[in-house]
Amino acid sequence: MSLTSPQGFRAAGVVAGLKSSGAPDLALVVNDGPRFAAAGVFTRNKVKAAPVLWSQQVLTTGALRAVVLNSGGANACTGPDGFQTAHATAEKAAELLGCGAVEVAICSTGLIGAQLPRDAVLAGVEKAHAGLAADEAAGTAAATAIMTTDTVAKQVVCENRAGWRVGGMTKGAGMIAPSMATMLSVLTTDAVLDADELDTALRAAVRVTFDRLDVDGSMSTNDTVLLLASGASGVRPDPADFQRSLTQTCRFLAEQMQADAEGVTKRITVRVTGAASEDDAVVVARTVARDSLVKTALFGCDGNWGRIAAAVGYSDAAVDPDRLDIAINGVELCRGGVAAGGRTSADLSGAEIAVVITLGLGDGEGEILTTDLSHAYVEENSAYPS
Amino acid sequence: MSLTSPQGFRAAGVVAGLKSSGAPDLALVVNDGPRFAAAGVFTRNKVKAAPVLWSQQVLTTGALRAVVLNSGGANACTGPDGFQTAHATAEKAAELLGCGAVEVAICSTGLIGAQLPRDAVLAGVEKAHAGLAADEAAGTAAATAIMTTDTVAKQVVCENRAGWRVGGMTKGAGMIAPSMATMLSVLTTDAVLDADELDTALRAAVRVTFDRLDVDGSMSTNDTVLLLASGASGVRPDPADFQRSLTQTCRFLAEQMQADAEGVTKRITVRVTGAASEDDAVVVARTVARDSLVKTALFGCDGNWGRIAAAVGYSDAAVDPDRLDIAINGVELCRGGVAAGGRTSADLSGAEIAVVITLGLGDGEGEILTTDLSHAYVEENSAYPS
């Protein structure tokens, strides 16, 4: 059930002393080959953390031997010193593994604007290297060490009958693009795939999974998803099969992030059909998913479809107000732009809320996973420095 | 201090029975001339309330004799029936005033998706007509009758030594474009101005005032700002003087809305300088002002400039992370994209917070007024149906 489930990978998670709580805060993931193809997707934020700048650079080779991840500090807005810390971290891991620093990616998460204690990070890498193992406990230790406001470690594995697997871990209560707090994810596979194939498959998977999770519309400086392929199964997968497994893996991880989002009391799916295009469907779903008035209403178990209609109307998508239908949890509340049922006829008392919006303009479909805006969200984010 | 301060205007505010609380909920504003020039700015939401559709239509003539405003129901997403209610309301006012329905604008605010009780509205118009007066109390009664979650009536008057005035009232805890709840505003002047002049001046004023207030990024179906000119002073104003007074009037009203926004504990100004253009400055300021992580941090008196830097970075504006400076309440926290001071060195304990962001790219400047994201905001919006 972890990123060490595919063959050819070892991992470790240790206490490096970056978190004042003394909890585990540094993870190392190693690809033992025989192949080292890799791909990555990074935040589109123009303010990029040092580890993002470093990892984007090393990934231009399409190969990775290892990834060092830390919580307890984002190493963002840290200037040349911060970049030097990321570089030194990669050098240390490379030295221990007998490879080049250019084969080591770095991921960080935590407070923006503070330097990481470099010596503690380097000592942590040594400690993690000494503890590397291929068993499930090692994968779980890595997934635990990257947690920030996460309350549970998030892991998954998908197995294909042809003999290869895709595993993964993630942290964060947000998404790869708009992001509540930083999202970091490392995915592994023992299938035989080239860097170009991994890149194409990863972008396609992220586009419909992590990119469709939107907790609060904020995009982090550090968001990173990495995919490493060891080729250790010796099997070259059917491309469609691999795409399906990879997308499913990302979807499972995205759903775990939604369920563990900061302050969540409702897991909300906003599905839009009948849009002029898929892009329009996603734009409408995202606009509704981000609207604070919709999110607070759903927190209050109030089927206030008028707020949803207003959000649909101010989205950048093509909308005909007279063709707008809105249903919540299977109850149609708005038909043709006017009230179709009572506000109270949908039961919103449960933890799952499905909003379905039909635009009546075309075949475009899309959905966004989001959460409600609760007192706990405000509490956590007004008190927790991230 | 009200919209009846300029000569030539009468107003009234009455209980029409639209609010279950029994509070005043219908206002009538009448221009007694001798001139009736008028202009309006409306929500850009594609889902427009019936009164918006009606008022946009009648304003194509550039003249208004009266405005009927109601709280207790937005008359949005109400289809042909709702439009008929707006039309009948204008007919009723026109009949009482001896003018055409095409000279009467309608504004509504409250819950979206429910029909207004037409008979109650029409009876309310009669009652308001019977109570019309030109004194300040009448203006205050009108301003009180349009309140929803507002805790105070919002009014202003600006006097020019040349002998003319601009008065106004507003309601809402949001803005003309993105809007927390509906914003309605009626502005009056006794200056001698044509409809074209009013239109130009109103658009220019709204662009830098109501359009620069952003409480939560939500845009209402009903937002409306109307400007009526009676010409009763007999004075044709200097255009620059009038623009200055009108913009100041709108600014005062916008500041009153900011101070009374739902759940506000901090009045926040986000000022951006050194942007590549004014548009870019406003885009950056608005992105920061809307970011839930920034808003919750400021609610918690936490000078978490890293969240501000992240929001600047995901805005659609041109940004160079290495030139980014951020100051809060006069204390520089970030210089050239890295920490310049301690997070705790800015005192955020007061109710006013000034965030100044310098991009170092050009001469573009702009600011957005906003508020924090507090427990009270969540409480009000998860319990209050609007």
Side-chain angles (χ1 to χ4, degrees):
Chain A
M1 267 298 287
S2 82
L3 82 176
T4 50
S5 298
Q7 299 174 64
F9 293 94
R10 287 178 297 156
V14 301
V15 176
L18 312 176
K19 283 179 177 164
S20 55
S21 65
D25 47 19
L26 190 136
L28 177 61
V29 180
V30 173
N31 179 0
D32 287 320
R35 298 168 63 96
F36 305 102
V41 176
F42 300 92
T43 182
R44 293 186 295 269
N45 199 310
K46 288 177 280 283
V47 177
K48 290 177 174 39
V52 169
L53 295 172
W54 171 265
S55 298
Q56 280 187 313
Q57 194 173 308
V58 303
L59 255 178
T60 55
T61 65
L64 283 180
R65 291 288 296 260
V67 185
V68 179
L69 308 94
N70 75 273
S71 51
N75 196 6
C77 295
T78 48
D81 272 3
F83 190 82
Q84 186 48 38
T85 297
H87 186 178
T89 306
E91 291 277 10
K92 169 60 74 177
E95 175 197 320
L96 294 165
L97 295 166
C99 65
V102 74
E103 296 170 279
V104 181
I106 308 291
C107 301
S108 300
T109 178
L111 184 68
I112 295 171
Q115 298 289 342
L116 287 173
R118 195 180 297 166
D119 291 346
V121 172
L122 300 185
V125 173
E126 287 199 21
K127 191 170 166 186
H129 179 259
L132 281 170
D135 60 13
E136 190 172 318
T140 300
T144 303
I146 60 173
M147 289 164 55
T148 53
T149 56
D150 307 69
T151 65
V152 291
K154 299 173 180 72
Q155 304 182 81
V156 71
V157 68
C158 287
E159 187 160 0
N160 186 280
R161 66 185 110 177
W164 50 266
R165 293 176 174 181
V166 180
M169 67 176 184
T170 196
K171 64 81 46 181
M175 65 182 290
I176 185 77
S179 157
M180 177 168 210
T182 293
M183 175 208 157
L184 302 180
S185 183
V186 178
L187 307 166
T188 55
T189 182
D190 49 13
V192 177
L193 289 154
D194 300 329
D196 286 353
E197 294 167 320
L198 293 177
D199 185 70
T200 303
L202 183 60
R203 286 179 194 286
V206 166
R207 192 179 75 83
V208 296
T209 56
F210 295 129
D211 266 348
R212 301 272 167 97
L213 173 66
D214 194 322
V215 169
D216 57 6
S218 299
M219 187 193 290
S220 163
T221 49
N222 291 57
D223 296 323
T224 302
V225 181
L226 300 173
L227 171 59
L228 284 64
S230 70
S233 71
V235 181
R236 183 168 277 282
D238 173 78
D241 276 358
F242 181 73
Q243 184 69 65
R244 203 174 305 116
S245 288
L246 184 66
T247 301
Q248 196 173 44
T249 299
C250 292
R251 172 84 187 192
F252 285 158
L253 290 173
E255 287 175 353
Q256 289 181 51
M257 288 197 287
Q258 179 194 28
D260 194 31
E262 291 175 359
V264 60
T265 79
K266 305 284 186 190
R267 297 186 298 280
I268 303 164
T269 305
V270 182
R271 176 155 193 81
V272 175
T273 64
S277 66
E278 181 188 349
D279 278 357
D280 264 16
V282 173
V283 163
V284 169
R286 197 182 291 284
T287 305
V288 171
R290 283 185 184 176
D291 187 89
S292 293
L293 293 170
V294 171
K295 292 165 93 82
T296 46
L298 296 179
F299 167 59
C301 302
D302 177 10
N304 195 328
W305 63 268
R307 292 180 179 182
I308 296 172
V312 170
Y314 75 74
S315 76
D316 286 329
V319 171
D320 178 347
D322 297 330
R323 296 188 189 194
L324 174 63
D325 301 340
I326 300 170
I328 305 183
N329 284 358
V331 179
E332 189 173 57
L333 299 175
C334 169
R335 180 163 194 86
V338 302
R343 280 155 56 86
T344 54
S345 52
D347 178 8
L348 308 187
S349 60
E352 302 262 1
I353 296 181
V355 175
V356 177
I357 297 162
T358 308
L359 298 178
L361 296 175
D363 297 328
E365 294 191 3
E367 75 180 31
I368 292 285
L369 305 181
T370 190
T371 56
D372 54 338
L373 175 51
S374 68
H375 284 300
Y377 177 88
V378 173
E379 186 63 26
E380 191 151 359
N381 284 298
S382 56
Y384 170 79
S386 68
Chain B
M1 267 298 287
S2 81
L3 84 175
T4 50
S5 298
Q7 299 173 63
F9 293 94
R10 286 178 297 156
V14 300
V15 177
L18 312 176
K19 282 179 178 164
S20 55
S21 66
D25 47 17
L26 189 135
L28 176 61
V29 179
V30 173
N31 179 359
D32 288 319
R35 299 167 64 95
F36 305 101
V41 175
F42 300 91
T43 182
R44 293 186 295 270
N45 199 308
K46 288 177 280 283
V47 177
K48 290 177 176 32
V52 169
L53 296 171
W54 171 264
S55 298
Q56 280 187 314
Q57 194 172 308
V58 303
L59 255 178
T60 54
T61 64
L64 283 181
R65 291 288 295 262
V67 185
V68 180
L69 308 95
N70 74 274
S71 51
N75 195 7
C77 296
T78 48
D81 272 2
F83 190 81
Q84 186 47 40
T85 297
H87 186 177
T89 305
E91 290 277 10
K92 168 59 74 179
E95 173 197 321
L96 293 165
L97 294 167
C99 65
V102 74
E103 296 170 279
V104 181
I106 309 291
C107 301
S108 300
T109 178
L111 184 67
I112 296 171
Q115 297 290 342
L116 286 174
R118 195 180 299 168
D119 292 344
V121 173
L122 301 185
V125 173
E126 286 199 23
K127 191 168 165 187
H129 179 258
L132 281 170
D135 60 13
E136 190 173 319
T140 300
T144 303
I146 60 173
M147 289 164 57
T148 53
T149 57
D150 307 70
T151 65
V152 291
K154 300 174 180 71
Q155 305 182 81
V156 72
V157 68
C158 288
E159 187 161 359
N160 187 279
R161 66 185 111 177
W164 50 266
R165 293 175 174 182
V166 180
M169 68 177 184
T170 195
K171 65 80 48 181
M175 65 182 288
I176 186 78
S179 158
M180 178 169 208
T182 293
M183 175 209 156
L184 302 180
S185 182
V186 178
L187 307 167
T188 56
T189 182
D190 48 14
V192 177
L193 288 155
D194 300 329
D196 286 353
E197 294 167 319
L198 293 178
D199 185 69
T200 303
L202 183 61
R203 286 180 195 284
V206 167
R207 192 178 75 84
V208 295
T209 57
F210 296 129
D211 266 348
R212 302 272 166 97
L213 173 66
D214 195 321
V215 169
D216 57 6
S218 300
M219 187 193 291
S220 161
T221 50
N222 290 55
D223 296 324
T224 302
V225 181
L226 299 173
L227 170 59
L228 284 64
S230 69
S233 72
V235 181
R236 183 167 279 281
D238 173 78
D241 276 358
F242 182 72
Q243 185 68 66
R244 203 174 305 117
S245 288
L246 184 67
T247 301
Q248 196 173 42
T249 299
C250 293
R251 172 83 187 194
F252 284 158
L253 291 172
E255 287 174 355
Q256 289 181 50
M257 288 197 286
Q258 178 194 28
D260 194 32
E262 291 174 359
V264 60
T265 80
K266 304 285 186 189
R267 297 187 297 279
I268 303 164
T269 304
V270 182
R271 176 154 194 80
V272 176
T273 65
S277 66
E278 182 187 347
D279 279 357
D280 265 17
V282 173
V283 163
V284 168
R286 196 182 293 284
T287 305
V288 171
R290 284 186 184 175
D291 187 272
S292 293
L293 293 171
V294 171
K295 292 164 92 81
T296 46
L298 296 180
F299 167 60
C301 302
D302 177 9
N304 195 328
W305 63 268
R307 292 181 179 180
I308 296 172
V312 170
Y314 75 74
S315 76
D316 286 329
V319 171
D320 178 346
D322 297 329
R323 295 189 190 192
L324 175 64
D325 300 341
I326 300 171
I328 305 184
N329 285 357
V331 179
E332 188 172 59
L333 298 175
C334 170
R335 178 162 196 86
V338 302
R343 280 156 56 87
T344 53
S345 52
D347 178 9
L348 308 187
S349 59
E352 302 263 0
I353 296 181
V355 176
V356 177
I357 298 163
T358 307
L359 298 178
L361 296 175
D363 297 328
E365 295 191 5
E367 75 179 30
I368 292 285
L369 305 181
T370 189
T371 57
D372 54 339
L373 175 50
S374 68
H375 285 300
Y377 177 88
V378 173
E379 186 63 25
E380 190 151 2
N381 285 297
S382 58
Y384 170 80
S386 68

